[in-house]
Amino acid sequence: GVKANGRNSIAFFEPQMQIVVSQRLQLETELRQALVEQQFCLHYQPQIDARGQRVIGAEALLRWQHPDKGLIGPGTFMHVLEESGMILQAGHWVLLQACHFIARLLGECKLAPDSFSLSVNISPRQFRQSDFVAQVDAAVRESGIPANCLKLEITESMVIQNIKDTVSKMHELRAMGIRFAIDDFGTGYSSLSYLKRLPVDLLKIDQSFIHDCAQEGNDAEIVRAIIAMARSLKLELIAEGVETAEQLAFLQQQDCHAYQGYLFSPAVAEEPFLQFILPAQSNIDAHESR
Ligand code: C2E
Ligand code: MG
Ligand code: MG
Ligand code: MG
């Protein structure tokens, strides 16, 4: 066996290492190709209002249509995009694509700009680019959307890495009408005093706390504390990863504002997303035309 002999284990690890390195290189090469050949697409996960009825927004999530392996989620490749710097190009594409989808929702589906927003995840490296504000501004202008339909999701750790620069960029973007969400809230290190300094509109409670929140215990207490804190700081809230009716009932009891999770829908491609929101919309149209 491999463990039995020290000498053998050295011979074992070298080829293993080589496999890891070459797999990584291959993934990087394939991702470069994916950017050139436009194999990326966005899927959209609906966000549902407090009563669990109306779609108030969506989150854009990156997917890779791999030529052999099919549809791949960001868990397997986001770190490579990030480390290689390809996230700058990919992130720019995501931003443009998301803004054009907003334009489509407002135009074709006649969604009211005050009642719908699309969230886009922004990676730390992307946010730190010196022309990031100009990039967002150009995407908004080019697509002709009202800026308040676009939300940027950032994480606590990203803010803390460089609070001064981050906050000043956030203020610039906010002056344009862009709104901000703190993603995976509760998993980072932000204190109340940090939060008060940040021009943030919304907290997304991390799904790790939602998972067991319906069983009374630590996670239920953490969720209660986050909701109480958001209320006192006058921040909106979305619970992420809501999968069961029990979790939803607990959250509704705590007066959480909105939900995102498999209970309602996973992230889906553009067309199914339109199908998801259109039934509700056509009722409104029918009502208005009377
Ligand atoms: P995130 O921003 O926290 O996104 C939520 C993740 O939870 C998504 O995974 C979503 O599919 C998943 N999810 C939603 N509802 C449920 C549920 O009920 N149960 C469970 N178990 N999971 C649920 P996904 O799409 O694999 O994305 C993973 C992460 O990759 C995202 O986490 C985000 O950090 C990153 N990411 C995705 N798209 C982009 C992008 O365009 N740019 C950047 N920079 N990061 C992205
Ligand atoms: Mg997110
Ligand atoms: Mg999250
Ligand atoms: Mg995340």
Side-chain angles (χ1 to χ4, degrees):
V2 177
K3 276 188 192 160
N5 187 312
R7 248 181 282 163
N8 280 349
S9 67
I10 293 170
F12 174 78
F13 279 116
E14 279 180 347
Q16 269 305 98
M17 285 288 288
Q18 222 154 20
I19 290 169
V20 170
V21 169
S22 77
Q23 277 176 345
R24 163 66 193 243
L25 279 176
Q26 191 188 339
L27 182 55
E28 219 176 294
T29 307
E30 287 184 349
L31 282 166
R32 261 177 231 289
Q33 194 72 13
L35 275 172
V36 174
E37 294 183 2
Q38 303 185 331
Q39 294 166 4
F40 290 111
C41 65
L42 290 183
H43 278 194
Y44 301 93
Q45 185 175 33
Q47 297 168 333
I48 313 293
D49 75 344
R51 288 158 67 206
Q53 288 171 351
R54 206 170 62 85
V55 179
I56 55 167
E59 176 173 10
L61 293 159
L62 190 60
R63 299 289 181 264
W64 178 14
Q65 189 65 58
H66 190 282
D68 315 317
K69 294 174 193 154
L71 199 66
I72 302 179
T76 51
F77 62 82
M78 189 49 72
H79 64 287
V80 182
L81 289 182
E82 184 78 26
E83 287 157 21
S84 65
M86 281 186 270
I87 189 64
L88 300 186
Q89 201 184 332
H92 189 212
W93 177 84
V94 168
L95 199 59
L96 292 171
Q97 190 75 9
C99 287
H100 282 109
F101 189 56
I102 296 172
R104 191 173 169 202
L105 290 168
L106 299 180
E108 212 172 293
C109 310
K110 300 190 175 60
L111 287 189
D114 295 330
S115 63
F116 185 89
S117 70
L118 187 67
S119 271
V120 174
N121 293 284
I122 303 297
S123 91
R125 207 156 162 176
Q126 190 185 2
F127 195 89
R128 280 201 296 270
Q129 290 174 104
S130 56
D131 67 343
F132 181 69
V133 174
Q135 229 180 71
V136 175
D137 188 41
V140 167
R141 280 168 196 271
E142 197 183 292
S143 57
I145 60 165
N148 67 352
C149 289
L150 180 64
K151 265 195 196 118
L152 304 183
E153 294 193 4
I154 59 175
T155 58
E156 296 164 86
S157 55
M158 169 177 147
V159 172
I160 286 165
Q161 274 166 32
N162 192 349
I163 184 134
K164 222 175 135 213
D165 178 59
T166 308
V167 170
S168 83
K169 274 185 182 157
M170 287 172 80
H171 278 297
E172 277 183 73
L173 287 160
R174 212 137 176 264
M176 292 161 37
I178 308 285
R179 289 181 289 170
F180 284 94
I182 303 272
D183 203 357
D184 307 337
F185 187 77
T187 61
Y189 303 95
S190 48
S191 62
L192 268 176
S193 60
Y194 263 120
L195 263 188
K196 269 175 73 175
R197 282 173 64 188
L198 291 181
V200 160
D201 306 274
L202 175 123
L203 303 181
K204 298 186 79 176
I205 309 174
D206 191 65
Q207 55 188 57
S208 61
F209 304 116
I210 302 303
H211 193 263
D212 291 329
C213 74
Q215 286 97 53
E216 280 304 323
N218 285 343
D219 289 343
E221 284 310 320
I222 290 169
V223 170
R224 281 197 189 93
I226 292 175
I227 292 177
M229 185 169 91
R231 190 174 297 132
S232 67
L233 291 174
K234 300 194 167 53
L235 296 172
E236 290 168 54
L237 271 172
I238 293 189
E240 287 193 289
V242 180
E243 292 182 352
T244 69
E246 289 74 23
Q247 293 163 352
L248 178 63
F250 172 84
L251 291 162
Q252 283 180 322
Q253 211 180 355
Q254 308 305 316
D255 274 334
C256 186
H257 304 150
Y259 315 99
Q260 195 181 326
Y262 295 164
L263 178 64
F264 301 100
S265 169
V268 295
E270 279 196 25
E271 297 309 322
F273 183 82
L274 295 180
Q275 295 309 310
F276 194 93
I277 55 165
L278 273 177
Q281 191 56 33
S282 55
N283 288 338
I284 295 166
D285 285 348
H287 188 77
E288 277 173 353
S289 61
R290 247 175 248 148

